[in-house]
Amino acid sequence: MKVAYPKKKKKSGIQIHSAWIFLFVFVLIIVAFTGGMFFYRGGYATDFLAEARDGIEIEALSEVENELNTELNLYQSNGLPTIFLDIPFDSMMQIEEKREEALDVGILLSSDDDYVSANMHFNDEQNLDIKMRLKGDWTDHLESDKWSYRVHITEDDGAVLGMRRFSLQAPETRNYTSEWGYHQNLFLENILTTRYHFVNVVINGEHKGIYALEESFTEDLLESQERREGVIIRIDEDLLWSDRARYINSDPFIWYTHEDEGSFWLVDGALNNEITPFRGNHINGDDILSEELASASELLYSYNRGELSADQILDEELWGKYYAITDLWAAGHSTVWHNQRFYYNPVTGLLEPVAFDGLALPQKYKDNKLAHLFELEPFFNTPGVQKAYIETLERVTTPEYIAMLRKEFGDELGNYYELLIEEYENKTLSDNLHAELQLPWDSLTLRSDFFTRHLNPDQPIRGNYHWVEKNGETFIQLDLVNMMIVPVELGELIIGDTAQDFEKEWCADEFCQAELVENIDEAVLLPSKENDFEPVTFLVPTEISAEALSTEKLSLKVKLYGGSETFEVPIFSNYVPQGIDIGVKPTATLAEALAEHPFLIHLDDKDLAIQQGDWSVSADLVLPVGYNLFIPEGTSLKFEEDSVFLVHGSVEIKGTEENPVFLTSQAESWGGMVVLEASEPSNWQYVIAEKMAGISRDGWILTGGITFYESEINIANSVIGNNNTEDALNIILSPFSFEYVEFLNTPSDAFDGDFTTGTASYCSFHDIGGDAFDVSGTEATITDTHFLNIADKAISAGEKSNLTLQNISITNVGIGVASKDLSIVLADALRIDTAKVVGLATYIKKPQYGPGTIIATAVEFMNTERPTLNQTHNKMLVNGEKIPQEDIDVDALYNTEK
């Protein structure tokens, strides 16, 4: 079909001829050229270009400034403190060279020679001289733009968050926030661990983002967690890492069977490496610490050689708790031998764990909820530790416990989680960031459920029985196998309808006796045997039950040692299990104590008494663990030279004014008295304790003539003195009360209280060669008390103590009252007569704490040339007057006291 298209219309409008267009353009060019020449010759062009150029520069600077402000706001507004590191060019070059070497080898091999000088300040505080080096064994600490560093503050008056030595590392090297949560849980359970914080880090003006700050192993760590200064040791790992560095690039690279033991040929482990201390130079310069190091090392060496048992060297309760909390958080990396750290507690003479580097809740444990089995760990394989492990695990794997953790530190952990998510989500550090960086609560709940199931097994042991004849007698032979990794406590044997307590004597031959575990509970324990399921055999006399020969129904009630759940396990007649081949403080049993000391009377289950009389004590008077002691009026205990009075329970002393109780020496002196971890208070009335020289025995060194550790003590109408010890009475982590107590004739300190609470009223301190009342980390009240002839300080409050003083008289002293290191002293009605150095003093002795405070009213100074001394940054208010601050040399002040 033919399509008809519309016809084109003619264009309307004015038509301009091309010649006219050409003429218009030509005239326009002439005008523009003429105007431009005029603009240039008049100088207007130069001004215009200058303004344009300035505008461009201002815009560029503004962009840079905005970028810097954005970066500054990032770490100033996230609420975290900031560490600024200023590293000189030559120091940075050495660090970079060491990093390249480590990346080339695959392992960082570092030493003290790698430290370089640098400068640091924390937030807006003072600049500090430091030395620093790279840290971390594997190169994950060096591969991102966040390198890990070890930092030592070299100035005496510098600290960061109470620490003078610490590490800075990217959060991912310790599994983000989970490691922080693990540390907080350890703190709640009083298990030593490194303090752990998140901070911003700026290096040479460049913001590096959020780092994890982790404390090093120093006395700061111990004091912050209410432990006495002591030594921290480890098993040296240098051989392990140098060996790995040799073989890591071999083809193929083959580890030994256990991934943490070394290369295929050279097996590095806990038994074949040296034991070394942290801060060795500091220890070598101190005689007491040097002896404690020797003792700590010998304990560990002796245990490794099989010469000492675990209960002789370990604080078993703390080790069991440590393993349980570590298992809850799947932080078993901290238990590998080269990550283990040991604190030698100078009071208990035992080793405590110092936990760090757990890599808590790694992905593999979140996914399949595996436990970290400790059966390869030598310190786990001891009944006391395993008992505490089970007791703790039962307690911490409940919904209530997880809820408690969430309440205690959940908000703070959540804040850190949000900050790290914000920082890392835009980086390509990990392809699975949200799987790795998670809040821990779901994982902890899953792990709790997992452990709850395993704490309630269907059958902790397996066993069979049959009849045997021996020497004309008929016995029931039981063959029992422990199926668990912890000991199983054997309870009642049920034969038919008769129940009988399980007896150790049923295990008659020597081999069987060696298989059982002896312990203070006198329970019969079937030990764990790892993968060796050879049965332990018992012979049960048939006369214990009339039904024994006719019944076929046998069962046994058992518990996991330390557990609360009782299981009744059937014993089968048709099952035969098949073996599978795969420096110590003194101790005494009850029998030994009674045999050694005829004046000792066994009253009842856990109570002993001293028979009234005048007794010469030969050797050490050591009571069995858990027994309390009563000493009646008119009793005298005269100890041999260097002998020790050691009690693991309460000590009740009931002297009278006419017939006091004497604790004294047969000659010039005796060692002293120690009360450890008593579950009940000790109460003393009319006691005269004298002539203690102190305990120093193979590294078991105590500063007190009398020492109470985690044991409440109340003393009234008593006298303590005529000693030759650093402290006449030392109380640690133990509540106390003194009423009408006289402290006298002591060459050093009279009373030393560490991390405790208490009261002293109507007391007298006189003729003291050191401090009369010296406390650290303590809250106490002193009322109606007199101090006379005190060479050093009458009252000394240190390390975050709080003292309240009322109606105190101080005469002839070096310093009347000193408040230092974040301590606060509130005093009313205070009379100071003849203070040779100063009446009241506030100062900082330990910079990791901070300033002291004294607020005193109704204060009277007599014959005192210098009533007050208030160091810069400290606070003092006396009789309503604010005392001016002044710079002082604390070392010179202490020399003046001496």
Side-chain angles (χ1 to χ4, degrees), residues 264-304:
F264 184 76
W265 290 99
L266 183 64
V267 183
D268 297 321
L271 299 180
N272 57 348
N273 281 284
E274 283 190 83
I275 296 170
T276 57
F278 290 90
R279 303 211 64 198
N281 291 335
H282 173 67
I283 291 172
N284 291 335
D286 186 295
D287 292 340
I288 290 180
L289 290 178
S290 296
E291 286 197 47
E292 290 175 359
L293 171 60
S295 181
S297 302
E298 187 57 34
L299 285 178
L300 202 48
Y301 279 130
S302 298
Y303 178 74
N304 289 341

Side-chain angles (χ1 to χ4, degrees), residues 527-567:
S528 59
K529 299 178 67 177
E530 298 179 15
N531 292 323
D532 181 6
F533 294 109
E534 184 176 348
V536 179
T537 299
F538 301 85
L539 296 176
V540 182
T542 54
E543 61 265 24
I544 69 169
S545 170
E547 301 177 78
L549 293 174
S550 59
T551 187
E552 293 186 358
K553 181 184 177 183
L554 268 72
S555 62
L556 186 59
K557 289 187 176 181
V558 301
K559 296 194 300 184
L560 303 187
Y561 188 42
S564 60
E565 187 72 22
T566 299
F567 308 91

Side-chain angles (χ1 to χ4, degrees), residues 854-874:
I854 291 179
I855 300 175
T857 57
V859 182
E860 181 182 0
F861 297 102
M862 301 178 63
N863 304 312
T864 297
E865 183 176 343
R866 188 171 194 176
T868 60
L869 177 63
N870 185 31
Q871 187 191 31
T872 303
H873 303 305
N874 292 259

Side-chain angles (χ1 to χ4, degrees), residues 142-365:
L142 308 173
E143 289 169 348
S144 72
D145 61 346
K146 289 184 178 182
W147 307 347
S148 296
Y149 301 98
R150 184 94 66 213
V151 177
H152 289 184
I153 297 174
T154 56
E155 294 189 20
D156 293 336
D157 61 345
V160 168
L161 298 172
M163 293 171 274
R164 290 170 289 180
R165 298 185 177 209
F166 53 86
S167 297
L168 294 169
Q169 54 213 356
E172 64 266 21
T173 64
R174 287 284 195 272
N175 207 20
Y176 301 100
T177 54
S178 293
E179 186 78 0
W180 183 88
Y182 170 54
H183 282 253
Q184 306 317 301
N185 199 169
L186 292 166
F187 287 135
L188 290 174
E189 295 290 342
N190 195 32
I191 300 164
L192 284 172
T193 187
T194 51
R195 285 177 282 182
Y196 200 88
H197 302 276
F198 291 107
V199 297
N200 302 302
V201 171
V202 177
I203 299 178
N204 290 342
E206 181 181 357
H207 177 227
K208 290 293 186 179
I210 299 174
Y211 268 69
L213 183 151
E214 184 173 27
E215 183 173 18
S216 296
F217 302 95
T218 70
E219 61 271 22
D220 296 341
L221 180 154
L222 300 175
E223 288 186 356
S224 71
Q225 295 170 66
E226 299 187 342
R227 301 298 202 280
R228 288 279 292 273
E229 182 179 3
V231 298
I232 299 177
I233 60 175
R234 63 178 172 181
I235 300 168
D236 193 273
E237 59 187 286
D238 287 351
L239 182 60
L240 169 70
W241 291 107
S242 61
D243 182 58
R244 284 182 170 180
R246 292 177 62 206
Y247 291 101
I248 193 170
N249 292 319
S250 62
D251 188 19
F253 176 48
I254 304 174
W255 291 114
Y256 184 65
T257 306
H258 190 292
E259 65 177 3
D260 284 302
E261 292 298 325
S263 69
F264 184 76
W265 290 99
L266 183 64
V267 183
D268 297 321
L271 299 180
N272 57 348
N273 281 284
E274 283 190 83
I275 296 170
T276 57
F278 290 90
R279 303 211 64 198
N281 291 335
H282 173 67
I283 291 172
N284 291 335
D286 186 295
D287 292 340
I288 290 180
L289 290 178
S290 296
E291 286 197 47
E292 290 175 359
L293 171 60
S295 181
S297 302
E298 187 57 34
L299 285 178
L300 202 48
Y301 279 130
S302 298
Y303 178 74
N304 289 341
R305 293 192 299 262
E307 297 170 359
L308 293 177
S309 60
D311 63 307
Q312 292 176 293
I313 76 157
L314 300 179
D315 189 315
E316 293 184 304
E317 182 177 354
L318 284 177
W319 279 90
K321 289 170 66 176
Y322 159 62
Y323 281 119
I325 299 301
T326 297
D327 230 346
L328 176 64
W329 287 83
H333 188 253
S334 106
T335 69
V336 179
W337 70 265
H338 58 76
N339 289 328
Q340 287 183 330
R341 306 291 184 258
F342 309 85
Y343 161 61
Y344 176 73
N345 188 320
V347 179
T348 64
L350 299 173
L351 299 175
E352 298 182 19
V354 187
F356 93 117
D357 198 3
L359 293 181
L361 293 176
Q363 188 61 39
K364 61 181 179 178
Y365 292 118

